[in-house]
Amino acid sequence: LQQRRGLRLSAPAAIQVTVRDALNQAMDEELERDERVFLLGEEVAQYDGAYKVSRGLWKKYGDKRVIDTPISEMGFAGIAVGAAMAGLRPVCEFMTFNFSMQAIDQVINSAAKTCYMSAGSIPVPIVFRGPNGAAAGVAAQHSQCFAAWYGHCPGLKVVSPWSSEDAKGLLKAAIRDDNPVVVLESELLYSVPFEMSEQAQSKEFVVPIGKAKIEKQGTHVTLVAHSRPVGHCLEAAAVLSKEGVECEVINMRTIRPMDIETVEASVAKTNHLVTVEGGWPQFGVGAEICARIMEGPAFNYLDAPAVRVTGADVPMPYAKILEDNSIPQVKDIVFAVKKVLNI
């Protein structure tokens, strides 16, 4: 009636959604969409998940679709891989990716290599997801970033979301993918709200795996990050903007396959590169990005050496002041940018 009267109808506005709720929405929508999808892991069902990411799913879908497992990562990861080989689409939650080391044989030797070793006849459509990297005050055995570890392995796809749209879209894409996908979440982002567009609220919204996103346009230096450090880069860019330095901030979103073309195009424009990550420096994600730029056409556009900002090369300390100094902070990014720009 309003349309007939010539009145303009306003589109539904963007809403604020936490990363936790975005992940929950993704699993809910995919469980509903495809009966082959199921979730398993420690405390994912009756307890609603250790971080409440699977809240309400057990009550909605029941014991066959949302399954509590014993504390045996190798056991339930192996069950999940076998289920994927048999035609189901498991979502295997690790309470933290540090615990995935108990199951790394299943992830790498069983899941990642089977499609290749079977000449493509046995796909393994499985998702391994859970919090990755540093949380707060949980010390060395619960704070490791596995982006470089899993990004190293052919046969896996590896995604690392930052915002709520990243989290929902990448998890849905991962569940629908016919390859093993590792979804590296950040525990410290679970409660952080982000704006979610009308498009992202759709049940068919997915973020393509293997495509980076430019979060902020800039002309002086390219900042490349994934997961929580993307937010740090945007904060550093705001600080530097007041000093006349305009940073271009790239959210990688996917670690493997890596969208190096977006980084190359940005470096060709800004002529400077700084990579930022929470993981260790040696053989890290930033090291790979720098190597790709060094070996490719964008190297000719660099006016200064690329600089990496990483976590400290130590097991994560427990004491808060030491922990803070082991993780890249906004001031570290600002310092690196000024170093690479020689200002």
Side-chain angles (χ1 to χ4, degrees):
L1 186 60
Q2 286 177 316
Q3 285 176 319
R4 284 180 184 174
R5 290 173 179 168
L7 298 176
R8 185 168 174 235
L9 297 176
S10 59
I15 59 174
Q16 293 281 314
V17 177
T18 66
V19 170
R20 173 185 288 107
D21 288 341
L23 292 164
N24 182 272
Q25 284 177 26
M27 289 192 289
D28 188 6
E29 290 170 8
E30 294 306 304
L31 283 161
E32 181 181 63
R33 176 179 176 271
D34 189 341
E35 63 181 12
R36 296 171 297 172
V37 176
F38 71 98
L39 171 66
L40 78 167
E42 295 155 357
E43 299 182 345
V44 299
Q46 295 187 39
Y47 189 65
D48 279 341
Y51 305 100
K52 306 307 175 198
V53 173
S54 56
R55 183 177 56 231
L57 298 181
W58 174 67
K59 289 180 181 175
K60 185 173 181 179
Y61 295 101
D63 289 327
K64 287 189 176 179
R65 306 287 303 283
V66 184
I67 302 167
D68 278 329
T69 65
I71 304 175
S72 175
E73 280 75 15
M74 178 171 276
F76 68 73
I79 288 170
V81 172
M85 291 176 178
L88 298 178
R89 306 185 81 87
V91 179
C92 177
E93 177 182 303
F94 295 122
M95 195 178 289
T96 154
F97 261 94
N98 298 268
F99 301 160
S100 75
M101 293 186 74
Q102 297 286 333
I104 202 161
D105 180 61
Q106 302 287 11
V107 177
I108 305 303
N109 282 325
S110 299
K113 298 176 183 176
T114 293
C115 186
Y116 178 83
M117 295 180 74
S118 67
S121 64
I122 306 176
V124 188
I126 185 170
V127 173
F128 300 101
R129 55 152 295 270
N132 170 71
V138 291
Q141 292 177 336
H142 299 77
S143 299
Q144 189 171 333
C145 176
F146 286 87
W149 283 54
Y150 287 120
H152 181 63
C153 302
L156 290 179
K157 294 184 179 182
V158 183
V159 300
S160 184
W162 168 59
S163 68
S164 296
E165 287 196 7
D166 290 348
K168 180 180 179 181
L170 287 170
L171 181 53
K172 286 171 72 73
I175 293 170
R176 297 182 187 189
D177 202 289
D178 286 334
N179 299 280
V181 184
V182 174
V183 181
L184 302 171
E185 303 157 10
S186 167
E187 181 184 336
L188 294 175
L189 288 176
Y190 281 154
S191 298
V192 177
F194 289 87
E195 189 172 279
M196 187 174 278
S197 66
E198 178 195 356
Q199 179 190 12
Q201 296 168 45
S202 163
K203 289 186 177 182
E204 292 307 311
F205 173 75
V206 294
V207 169
I209 293 174
K211 185 62 182 168
K213 180 184 179 184
I214 298 175
E215 298 288 350
K216 178 186 177 298
Q217 297 281 349
T219 54
H220 295 121
V221 60
T222 299
L223 299 180
V224 185
H226 64 93
S227 191
R228 189 165 172 256
V230 174
H232 295 338
C233 287
L234 289 170
E235 290 179 46
V239 171
L240 288 158
S241 182
K242 295 174 183 176
E243 301 181 31
V245 176
E246 294 301 327
C247 303
E248 183 145 296
V249 179
I250 297 179
N251 173 9
M252 287 304 290
R253 299 199 293 195
T254 302
I255 306 302
R256 185 183 186 104
M258 186 174 280
D259 180 8
I260 205 66
E261 292 80 12
T262 295
V263 181
E264 286 177 336
S266 179
V267 169
K269 178 171 70 169
T270 69
N271 311 116
H272 300 91
L273 173 63
V274 174
T275 67
V276 186
E277 65 186 306
W280 294 318
Q282 191 155 320
F283 313 114
V285 175
E288 176 65 19
I289 293 168
C290 291
R292 297 273 193 101
I293 294 299
M294 177 76 183
E295 294 166 353
F299 171 72
N300 296 309
Y301 290 91
L302 283 176
D303 287 343
V307 171
R308 293 178 292 157
V309 179
T310 72
D313 197 20
V314 296
M316 184 63 69
Y318 173 71
K320 186 178 189 319
I321 189 167
L322 295 177
E323 181 183 68
D324 288 344
N325 280 283
S326 298
I327 303 170
Q329 306 292 332
V330 172
K331 62 180 176 61
D332 302 315
I333 301 169
V334 171
F335 179 83
V337 168
K338 290 184 175 182
K339 176 183 176 182
V340 80
L341 294 176
N342 196 28
I343 57 176

